[in-house]
């Protein structure tokens, strides 16, 4: 027997494994942030700046060791990736998210002086950094495990309910909770205004965008002019557009009593809605136009051979097949509108942006978070919901 024959067959060689570099780097980043950045801050009142504390001062050595072990375990599992280890990492992430409000309770117990009723516990950069990195880990795990877009949303929704319960029952000393309690009625009103502005702007842009896209398909010369104009609108900064709308709308309100009776003015909802619709049209028109154009002509010819009329071929075949891509345009438009509506608070349109700009003016970062965090949550919910709906409507999406 020759030496070559004695060698093992290549088919029996073990496949090499490689660590998941993304999860590995994210786990190390969380461990570094927990130990190198400040964990919480404590201030005697709302005016005085707080004193920062690290992880050991905030939750003592047992808590610090527990947090470190969680991140070390994620790092070890990411070094030998497999579906089983990915599910274990998902469990560790869920446990970490559930433990985070309890860490704030422990920090408040050790650091907040009960004799100071106005004392406030602030969330430090270590907390926000770890939370942001955990969200990135969820995105990576969703892709690796092939989960639908609903899974991270449902997980974060359950964690959010747990956080809300902890905040309502045991975190009265938390600065963010105190800001909410002082403005609870205004907060719910701002949420309603924000959702109303986004819903109206997206609804109008969907109707106008679909109409314009179908006109562009019918009249090819309109395509270049329309896309040029819509791209130009996207280049105008939002504040500049609000300023450009102020004078003409104020003039119309002063000279047309009907418009004034409808509430049109240079500030308020009218310029905010016009600007939001203008910014929403480009992604809506572009996705609708591309979605309708990408439908195979062979499919349409087959529908024609079956005796379908022109309107039936459009609504039952072309529009039905284009609907998933069209919904992606609605998703992009909605997420963009949720964020942009915050700027509309500068012209008196209300919404959650009111807390952001009031907090910036008063140097109160917790008030800024009171407006920014709900906007982030709304954007995530809209993105996940419409994204999951688009995936379900794709051929084979419900299998």
């Amino acid at each position: 027997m020759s030496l070559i024959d004695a060698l093992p067959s290549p088919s029996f060689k073990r496949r090499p494994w490689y660590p998941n570099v993304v999860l590995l780097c994210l786990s190390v980043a969380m461990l570094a942030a927990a130990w190198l950045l400040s964990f919480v801050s404590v201030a005697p009142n709302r005016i005085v700046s707080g004193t920062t504390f690290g992880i050991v001062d905030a939750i003592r050595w047992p808590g610090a060791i527990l947090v470190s072990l969680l991140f070390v375990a994620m790092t070890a599992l990411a070094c030998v990736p497999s579906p089983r280890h990915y599910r274990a990492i998902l469990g560790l992430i869920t446990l970490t998210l559930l433990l985070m409000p309890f860490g704030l309770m422990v920090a408040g117990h050790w650091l907040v002086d009960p004799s100071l009723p106005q004392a406030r516990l602030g969330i430090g950069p270590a907390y926000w950094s770890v939370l942001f990195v955990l969200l990135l880990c969820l995105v990576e795990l969703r892709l690796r495990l092939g989960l639908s877009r609903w899974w991270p949303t449902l997980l974060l929704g359950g964690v959010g309910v747990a956080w809300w319960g902890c905040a309502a029952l045991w975190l009265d000393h938390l600065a963010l909770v105190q800001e909410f309690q002082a403005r609870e009625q205004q907060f719910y009103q701002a949420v309603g205004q924000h959702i109303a502005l986004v819903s109206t702007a997206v609804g109008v842009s969907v109707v106008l965008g679909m109409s314009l896209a179908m006109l562009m398909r019918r009249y090819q010369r309109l395509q270049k002019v329309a896309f040029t104009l819509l791209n130009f609108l996207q280049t105008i900064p939002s504040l500049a557009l609000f300023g450009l709308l102020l004078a003409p709308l104020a003039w119309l309100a002063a000279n047309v009593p009907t418009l004034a009776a409808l509430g049109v003015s240079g500030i308020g909802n009218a310029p905010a809605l016009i600007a939001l619709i203008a910014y929403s049209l480009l992604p809506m028109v572009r996705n609708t136009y591309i979605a309708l154009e990408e439908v195979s002509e062979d499919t349409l010819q087959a529908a024609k051979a079956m005796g379908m009329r022109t309107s039936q071929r459009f609504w039952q075949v072309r529009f039905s097949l284009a609907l998933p891509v069209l919904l992606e345009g609605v998703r992009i438009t909605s997420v963009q509108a949720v964020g942009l509506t915050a700027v509309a608070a500068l012209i008196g349109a209300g919404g959650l942006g009111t807390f952001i700009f009031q907090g910036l003016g008063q140097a109160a970062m917790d008030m800024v978070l009171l407006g920014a965090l709900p906007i982030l949550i709304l954007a995530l919910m809209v993105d996940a919901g419409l994204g999951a709906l688009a995936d379900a409507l794709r051929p084979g999406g419900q299998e």
Side-chain angles (χ1 to χ4, degrees):
M1 179 182 295
S2 65
L3 180 61
I4 296 179
D5 295 334
L7 294 175
S9 173
S11 60
F12 291 96
K13 290 183 178 179
R14 297 181 60 184
R15 295 179 60 185
W17 55 266
Y18 301 97
N20 187 310
V21 179
V22 175
L23 290 176
L24 189 61
C25 293
L26 293 178
S27 302
V28 173
M30 287 189 290
L31 185 61
W35 281 95
L36 298 179
L37 301 178
S38 61
F39 212 67
V40 294
S41 64
V42 177
N45 52 56
R46 190 173 185 269
I47 301 174
V48 180
S49 59
T51 303
T52 59
F53 296 91
I55 185 172
V56 176
D57 294 326
I59 58 177
R60 298 302 189 259
W61 277 106
I65 293 174
L66 174 61
V67 171
S68 302
L69 288 177
L70 289 173
F71 297 152
V72 169
M74 293 183 198
T75 305
L77 292 171
C79 290
V80 188
S82 67
R84 182 179 177 182
H85 286 181
Y86 286 144
R87 287 190 290 269
I89 294 175
L90 182 60
L92 291 174
I93 290 175
T94 305
L95 178 60
T96 304
L97 289 171
L98 291 173
L99 288 176
M100 290 180 76
F102 291 97
L104 293 175
M105 291 191 307
V106 172
H109 172 75
W110 288 110
L111 300 176
V112 176
D113 189 352
S115 63
L116 298 175
Q118 301 298 323
R120 301 159 64 90
L121 180 72
I123 303 175
Y127 244 79
W128 296 119
S129 301
V130 169
L131 180 59
F132 175 71
V133 176
L134 286 174
L135 295 179
L136 294 180
C137 291
L138 285 178
V139 174
E140 173 68 12
L141 289 173
R142 186 184 76 82
L143 296 175
R144 295 292 181 178
L145 293 174
L147 303 176
S148 67
R149 300 195 191 193
W150 281 111
W151 278 100
T153 306
L154 293 175
L155 173 62
L156 293 176
V159 171
V161 171
W163 285 14
W164 186 274
C166 292
L169 297 175
W170 302 298
L171 289 175
D172 289 339
H173 51 265
L174 192 64
L176 185 60
V177 174
Q178 292 181 1
E179 294 290 347
F180 169 76
Q181 292 174 344
R183 299 166 179 81
E184 184 174 358
Q185 191 65 31
Q186 299 175 12
F187 176 81
Y188 290 124
Q189 182 180 0
V191 171
Q193 293 173 341
H194 205 98
I195 294 176
L197 284 171
V198 171
S199 302
T200 304
V202 172
V204 173
S205 67
V206 167
V207 175
L208 292 179
M210 289 183 60
S211 303
L212 185 56
M214 287 188 284
L215 286 174
M216 290 164 57
R217 292 186 64 253
R218 187 176 182 87
Y219 305 103
Q220 292 296 324
R221 293 182 179 179
L222 181 62
Q223 176 183 348
K224 185 175 181 180
V225 176
F227 275 128
T228 301
L229 178 60
L230 294 176
N231 278 292
F232 172 73
L233 288 175
Q234 288 285 324
T235 63
I236 303 176
S238 56
L239 291 178
L241 185 56
F242 290 142
L244 292 173
L245 292 172
L246 193 152
L249 289 177
W251 183 87
L252 288 173
N255 292 275
V256 182
T258 304
L259 294 178
L262 293 174
V264 175
S265 63
I267 60 174
N269 292 334
L273 285 174
I274 292 175
L276 289 172
I277 293 169
Y279 284 118
S280 301
L281 278 177
L282 178 61
M284 194 66 243
V285 172
R286 182 173 54 202
N287 275 58
T288 303
Y289 183 83
I290 293 174
L292 295 175
E293 285 295 309
E294 284 187 346
V295 177
S296 172
E297 288 296 331
D298 295 337
T299 304
L300 296 173
Q301 289 298 326
K304 184 177 181 180
M306 293 173 61
M308 286 187 174
R309 297 188 300 273
T310 303
S311 59
Q312 290 178 318
R313 292 197 302 272
F314 178 82
W315 291 109
Q316 297 181 23
V317 180
R318 185 185 291 273
F319 183 81
S320 179
L321 293 175
L323 187 57
V325 181
L326 192 149
L327 282 175
E328 287 294 331
V330 178
R331 180 182 66 84
I332 296 171
T333 300
S334 302
V335 173
Q336 176 180 283
V338 169
L340 189 59
T341 302
V343 187
L346 288 174
I347 56 171
L352 291 165
T354 305
F355 297 112
I356 295 177
F357 295 111
Q358 286 181 359
L360 291 174
Q362 301 175 20
M365 294 310 299
D366 295 297
M367 190 188 297
V368 174
L369 292 174
L370 187 62
L373 289 179
I375 291 176
L376 175 62
I377 294 171
L378 283 175
L380 290 174
M381 292 173 59
V382 169
D383 179 76
L386 292 176
L389 181 60
D391 291 341
L393 291 175
R394 288 191 176 92
Q398 295 178 342
E399 296 179 1

